Amino acid sequence: MDLLTLSFAVINGLLIGGIYGGVALGLSLIFGVMRVINFAHGSFLMLAMYCSYLLWASLGLHPYVSILATVPFLFIVGYFVQGVVISPLFKRERALVVEPTSALLLTAGVYLVVDNIVLMAFGPDVRSVAVDITYESIFVAGLPINLARLIGFLAAIVVAAALSFWLKHSEMGRAIRATAQNRDAASLSGINVQRVYNVTFGLGCAVLGLFGALLVPFFSITPNIGLSFGIKSFLVVVLGGIGSIPGSILGGLLLGVFESVASQFVTATSAAIFSFGLFIAILLLRPAGLMGRA
Amino acid sequence: MSTPALEVRDLWSGYGDQDVLRGIDLVLEPRTIVALIGANGAGKSTLLRTLSGLLRPHRGEAKLYGESIFCLPPHKVVERGFVQSPEGKQLFLGMSIRENLLVGAQNKRARARRDQTLEEVFELFPILRERQALNASTLSGGQQQMVAVGRALMALPRVLALDEPSLGLAPIMVDRLFESIAKIKERDLTILIIEQNVFQVLEMADYGYVLENGVMTLNGTGAELLADDHLRASYLGL
């Protein structure tokens, strides 16, 4: 394999990997704070993609403009899914010191419901958004870099940095970190834990609202696209360290590059085998993830 | 007689269907220190967890200055003015001391005068001012206890509950802590204190209750309890 192809694969891997990291941010945040593995994570991304697609198809809005709608929409969806569907679990388990593992099953149910509602409403057809940016590239040292992917990559870095900053410096961010560390102590300090959970879940989904719109220029949309992203996000989060925001980006980059380079040697579908191989290897060597605390 | 700061009547509570507390009565007159004494497993922490709203009571009534705090969610209980510093400190160890204290001031009332209260907490525990930027995990046990008490004070409690504040502290730190608690009382505050240091706490307390197997078996002024034969035999080994 020549160097040019390889560097092209690495660059492409970094770009898509950054986007994987950005998509996984919400999963990591939600798990870090609530100890809930949101199985429906990918479904919310799919929902954001359909939302962006619909705004383009009906109103002719550019996907990047539709961000103004998808982000608040997904925040509201997340806020209410937590407030209405998931929070009864926490209330039921309030009296006991139990981590709500049942939340995994519950969110798996949310995944089934959301995916099937979308399938019922839109059918299994593959849809795509035709905008100019899909085909635009800039050239760096003779290598073409797809603009839409570059924007997605940069967005992931910016969102990760902004989220870290906000968590560190805002009042709500402090309440979220306190709740993540010790739910009971947070309650006893007067933090409204249910509200913190609602906001956290809403935020985690709002990030998906952004990436859904950033993905549609170069990703076809189907009702079941969510699952593959959900599984990748899970991989990314475990690779990078659960609950760690920089870890999420790092895990994404690693997975992206690995996938992209591996698919130069084998078919893209078999490359997934190697991704999971990498996953197992890292879990064996560093069970807490690359940036996680053991 | 004035309205009690805290009034608990016939409180039944526990985990699941199991009753740990079986008909608790407890009255705290305003601006007093009340000690709650009992062996491990008697239900002292269960009582505090129930009053704070972490545990759902089975039946009974709890009033703070005449207003019911029964079955409210924990953050509402804090807002009304019943604040506890939990057993084992329960600090946010990934955060600085200053941040730990700031987290305590969540409700509107507390937030409005947060800087002022922070200043008062630093006056009470000067060491915390020096170390405010450090991570809470770098502190000694006694200093961590100061942060836990300080964090509770940040919420501007009307009734402050301290769950075993001297647990795991060196004797000298226990003395200092009790001095601080006496100072806190001067802040027009009612204090409910759970302690293993029975002798020390009863000397300081205005009134005391003894909890055994989920039932209050004895109550009286600190001096009365210290003179009680049963208490002397069971808790002081005299």
Side-chain angles (χ1 to χ4, degrees):
Chain A
M1 170 155 313
D2 61 299
L3 199 62
L4 188 74
T5 322
L6 196 65
S7 19
F8 187 67
V10 168
I11 288 174
N12 243 325
L14 282 174
L15 294 183
I16 198 74
I19 296 168
Y20 287 161
V23 168
L25 280 174
L27 187 71
S28 186
L29 179 73
I30 290 167
F31 185 87
V33 175
M34 300 172 61
R35 311 282 146 191
V36 166
I37 295 168
N38 179 16
F39 202 89
H41 190 70
S43 302
F44 291 123
L45 180 72
M46 180 271 293
L47 215 54
M49 290 171 84
Y50 268 93
C51 183
S52 182
Y53 165 80
L54 281 180
L55 288 171
W56 172 80
S58 58
L59 301 173
L61 281 187
H62 191 283
Y64 291 174
V65 179
S66 72
I67 287 168
L68 295 173
T70 55
V71 170
F73 174 64
L74 263 289
F75 180 86
I76 291 166
V77 168
Y79 193 96
F80 283 100
V81 165
Q82 145 58 27
V84 176
V85 181
I86 301 175
S87 75
L89 272 184
F90 285 102
K91 283 181 185 141
R92 202 189 65 198
E93 302 195 6
R94 179 168 76 157
L96 305 165
V97 194
V98 177
E99 299 296 353
T101 40
S102 32
L104 178 67
L105 292 174
L106 189 67
T107 53
V110 172
Y111 143 74
L112 287 172
V113 170
V114 172
D115 276 27
N116 284 293
I117 286 177
V118 172
L119 181 64
M120 197 165 73
F122 297 98
D125 310 351
V126 177
R127 287 156 206 270
S128 57
V129 168
V131 281
D132 294 339
I133 195 158
T134 312
Y135 308 105
E136 280 171 31
S137 291
I138 54 170
F139 284 85
V140 176
L143 290 168
I145 295 178
N146 180 275
L147 198 58
R149 283 165 206 244
L150 181 65
I151 289 172
F153 171 84
L154 293 174
I157 308 283
V158 170
V159 169
L163 196 61
S164 300
F165 185 85
W166 182 80
L167 284 172
K168 188 100 188 87
H169 295 284
S170 73
E171 295 286 338
M172 191 67 201
R174 187 187 293 134
I176 290 176
R177 281 184 293 137
T179 307
Q181 283 195 19
N182 190 332
R183 175 163 65 142
D184 280 358
S187 285
L188 293 178
S189 305
I191 291 173
N192 183 345
V193 168
Q194 278 309 318
R195 191 163 156 265
V196 165
Y197 281 179
N198 293 348
V199 170
T200 304
F201 212 93
L203 262 179
C205 291
V207 174
L208 292 175
L210 172 67
F211 283 97
L214 293 178
L215 276 171
V216 289
F218 57 93
F219 245 99
S220 314
I221 309 157
T222 60
N224 59 11
I225 185 97
L227 189 61
S228 65
F229 270 102
I231 289 174
K232 272 182 187 152
S233 296
F234 185 68
L235 237 129
V236 163
V237 166
V238 176
L239 280 178
I242 282 171
S244 159
I245 287 173
S248 177
I249 299 293
L250 186 72
L253 293 176
L254 197 68
L255 180 70
V257 171
F258 197 81
E259 260 187 19
S260 168
V261 173
S263 63
Q264 299 300 313
F265 299 96
V266 293
T267 61
T269 17
S270 349
I273 299 171
F274 292 96
S275 309
F276 284 104
L278 170 78
F279 179 63
I280 291 167
I282 290 203
L283 280 184
L284 285 173
L285 297 171
R286 262 193 78 85
L290 293 172
M291 314 233 353
R293 271 160 277 163
Chain B
M1 208 172 91
S2 60
T3 320
L6 179 71
E7 186 179 10
V8 178
R9 291 286 172 222
D10 192 33
L11 179 71
W12 292 68
S13 179
Y15 301 87
D17 293 331
Q18 207 70 39
D19 284 314
V20 175
L21 303 176
R22 294 171 291 135
I24 296 289
D25 289 302
L26 176 73
V27 176
L28 272 66
E29 293 302 329
R31 287 173 296 283
T32 56
I33 296 183
V34 174
L36 180 62
I37 289 161
N40 282 334
K44 296 165 300 188
S45 294
T46 306
L47 176 60
L48 283 197
R49 286 178 73 83
T50 306
L51 291 175
S52 293
L54 286 177
L55 260 183
R56 202 183 295 272
H58 297 152
R59 66 187 163 96
E61 181 57 88
K63 286 179 177 167
L64 194 77
Y65 284 97
E67 276 179 64
S68 178
I69 55 165
F70 210 58
C71 288
L72 288 179
H75 67 276
K76 289 278 179 202
V77 175
V78 172
E79 203 175 303
R80 294 282 177 88
F82 180 84
V83 184
Q84 73 154 294
S85 159
E87 185 184 357
K89 303 174 276 265
Q90 310 279 352
L91 296 186
F92 305 114
L93 292 177
M95 294 190 189
S96 73
I97 291 157
R98 188 188 169 82
E99 277 198 302
N100 265 279
L101 293 173
L102 291 179
V103 166
Q106 287 292 327
N107 61 71
K108 277 202 191 87
R109 201 163 50 91
R111 179 112 13 131
R113 62 188 299 284
R114 188 168 73 177
D115 293 343
Q116 218 175 323
T117 322
L118 188 64
E119 197 53 37
E120 287 166 19
V121 169
F122 284 154
E123 265 164 43
L124 192 64
F125 305 115
I127 187 89
L128 298 187
R129 187 199 302 276
E130 280 170 39
R131 313 220 163 153
Q132 56 176 299
L134 294 181
N135 201 293
S137 58
T138 62
L139 295 180
S140 72
Q143 290 161 351
Q144 288 194 0
Q145 191 60 57
M146 291 175 191
V147 178
V149 174
R151 183 178 64 188
L153 288 174
M154 290 297 291
L156 297 181
R158 295 201 280 176
V159 174
L160 173 66
L162 303 171
D163 196 349
E164 308 223 359
S166 72
L167 192 72
L169 300 195
I172 176 112
M173 291 308 294
V174 176
D175 289 344
R176 281 207 204 132
L177 189 76
F178 276 72
E179 277 167 33
S180 307
I181 292 169
K183 270 193 218 158
I184 293 169
K185 192 201 162 191
E186 291 164 15
R187 299 167 49 103
D188 190 27
L189 196 71
T190 308
I191 299 173
L192 175 64
I193 179 167
I194 292 182
E195 255 304 331
Q196 302 275 2
N197 281 313
V198 174
F199 189 73
Q200 219 164 352
V201 76
L202 284 180
E203 278 205 315
M204 179 176 69
D206 300 296
Y207 206 78
Y209 285 85
V210 178
L211 183 63
E212 284 174 344
N213 292 321
V215 182
M216 293 292 191
T217 51
L218 204 60
N219 62 73
T221 63
E224 279 168 13
L225 290 182
L226 278 175
D228 184 271
D229 286 338
H230 170 68
L231 185 123
R232 287 167 71 89
S234 311
Y235 298 97
L236 297 173
L238 298 173

